């Protein structure tokens, strides 16, 4: 059983998608060990409580320095036995020591087709504002492993979503969530939990039967 820590900052609709997929069997071989938020008011924490999932809050604001926060954050995570960390709308930069401690065991959902509209400054609604400002006709979402960079790690799954005339950032955000994020995040966790994701030379291969197929 793969034990997950899901890290959140806001509404938690991706957390909900993961909880639903575990409940209805689209994710097998994985369970949520703990939900951690940096924001005490995140509705995501409420979603965890409703399902009796252990939950914690730890914010950089309550520490004198980022260094102190980073150490406490890693210590908090180590209170639990965790195999995979899932960043589900988590808006705090992951400390380098955490990336090293959980090498190739942290994944993130990003609301664009990486490498478009990603990196520093692109999070939440800003991603969709960027896509609309550029006038792209297709956007989407990406699940990727987390490395030392911002949104630079190996890509696991992507799904495209059409941009429609008259879209506002909010309308586009909702469509990307419904059509892409809430599907590919549970799908990626299920693939990892079932040993079907292989990392080789910085690229992800999804194993199918006897062969392997790069996606
Ligand atoms: C989601 O759209 C997620 O992709 C995005 O924040 C939102 C969280 O929503 N993450 C990023 O922008 C990370 N760079 P949620 O709390 O309802 O899941």
């Amino acid at each position: 059983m793969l034990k997950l820590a899901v890290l959140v900052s806001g509404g938690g609709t991706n957390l909900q998608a993961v909880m639903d997929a575990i409940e209805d069997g689209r994710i097998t071989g994985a369970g949520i060990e703990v939900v951690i938020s940096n924001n005490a008011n995140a509705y995501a924490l409420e979603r965890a409580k409703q399902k009796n999932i252990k939950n914690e809050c730890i914010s950089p604001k309550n520490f004198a320095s980022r260094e102190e926060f980073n150490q406490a954050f890693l210590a908090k995570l180590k209170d639990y036995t965790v195999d995979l960390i899932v960043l589900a709308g988590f808006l705090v930069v992951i400390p380098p020591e955490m990336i090293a401690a959980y090498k190739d065991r942290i994944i993130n959902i990003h609301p664009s087709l990486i490498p478009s509209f990603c990196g520093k400054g692109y999070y939440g609604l800003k991603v969709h504002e960027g896509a609309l400002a550029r006038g792209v006709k297709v956007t989407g979402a990406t699940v990727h492993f987390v490395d030392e960079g911002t949104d630079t790690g190996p890509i696991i799954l992507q799904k495209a979503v059409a941009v429609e005339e008259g879209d506002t950032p909010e309308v586009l955000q909702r469509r990307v969530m419904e059509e892409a994020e809430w599907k590919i995040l549970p799908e990626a966790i299920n693939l990892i939990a079932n040993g079907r994701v292989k990392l080789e030379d910085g690229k992800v291969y999804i194993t199918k039967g006897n062969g392997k197929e790069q996606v």
Side-chain angles (χ1 to χ4, degrees):
M1 178 69 80
L2 194 78
K3 292 184 174 178
L4 311 175
V6 184
L7 275 45
V8 296
S9 297
T13 65
N14 279 287
L15 166 66
Q16 189 69 50
V18 173
M19 294 191 304
D20 291 349
I22 289 172
E23 231 170 67
D24 68 22
R26 279 174 295 130
I27 295 176
T28 58
I32 301 177
E33 188 65 11
V34 63
V35 170
I36 303 177
S37 174
N38 64 305
N39 167 12
N41 299 318
Y43 186 67
L45 283 176
E46 198 52 46
R47 295 180 193 269
K49 286 174 195 158
Q50 282 167 12
K51 296 279 179 192
N52 288 321
I53 294 172
K54 283 174 268 180
N55 54 87
E56 300 265 8
C57 182
I58 181 165
S59 167
K61 286 184 196 150
N62 299 328
F63 292 85
S65 68
R66 185 53 79 128
E67 188 46 44
E68 280 178 41
F69 165 76
N70 287 353
Q71 281 175 17
F73 186 23
L74 187 57
K76 165 106 29 214
L77 200 55
K78 287 194 164 166
D79 285 345
Y80 297 86
T81 309
V82 166
D83 303 307
L84 184 71
I85 300 173
V86 178
L87 309 183
F90 188 61
L91 301 181
V92 174
V93 174
I94 301 297
E97 49 268 56
M98 191 176 284
I99 293 170
Y102 293 87
K103 189 168 162 34
D104 301 336
R105 293 191 292 145
I106 310 177
I107 64 170
N108 179 48
I109 176 84
H110 183 78
S112 75
L113 293 176
I114 289 175
S116 291
F117 312 111
C118 64
K120 209 166 182 295
Y122 279 117
Y123 58 89
L125 216 48
K126 291 182 193 297
V127 178
H128 306 290
E129 285 166 1
L132 290 175
R134 183 63 184 84
V136 296
K137 306 299 182 196
V138 175
T139 183
T142 303
V143 182
H144 63 93
F145 283 108
V146 172
D147 65 9
E148 301 72 21
T150 307
D151 302 328
T152 53
I155 291 170
I156 305 168
L157 292 176
Q158 291 189 299
K159 191 165 190 295
V161 174
V163 178
E164 288 172 16
E165 225 170 280
D167 271 352
T168 61
E170 290 81 4
V171 166
L172 184 58
Q173 178 181 51
R174 181 77 191 180
R175 187 179 314 116
V176 168
M177 284 177 158
E178 283 178 359
E179 294 184 10
E181 296 185 46
W182 301 342
K183 293 181 178 166
I184 64 174
L185 184 58
E187 196 182 334
I189 293 169
N190 186 54
L191 289 168
I192 294 169
N194 289 281
R196 291 182 51 200
V197 173
K198 299 273 172 275
L199 249 177
E200 242 177 68
D201 299 330
K203 289 202 192 78
V204 165
Y205 296 84
I206 309 291
T207 58
K208 284 188 176 174
N210 296 326
K212 67 180 181 184
E213 180 190 323
Q214 191 191 333
V215 294

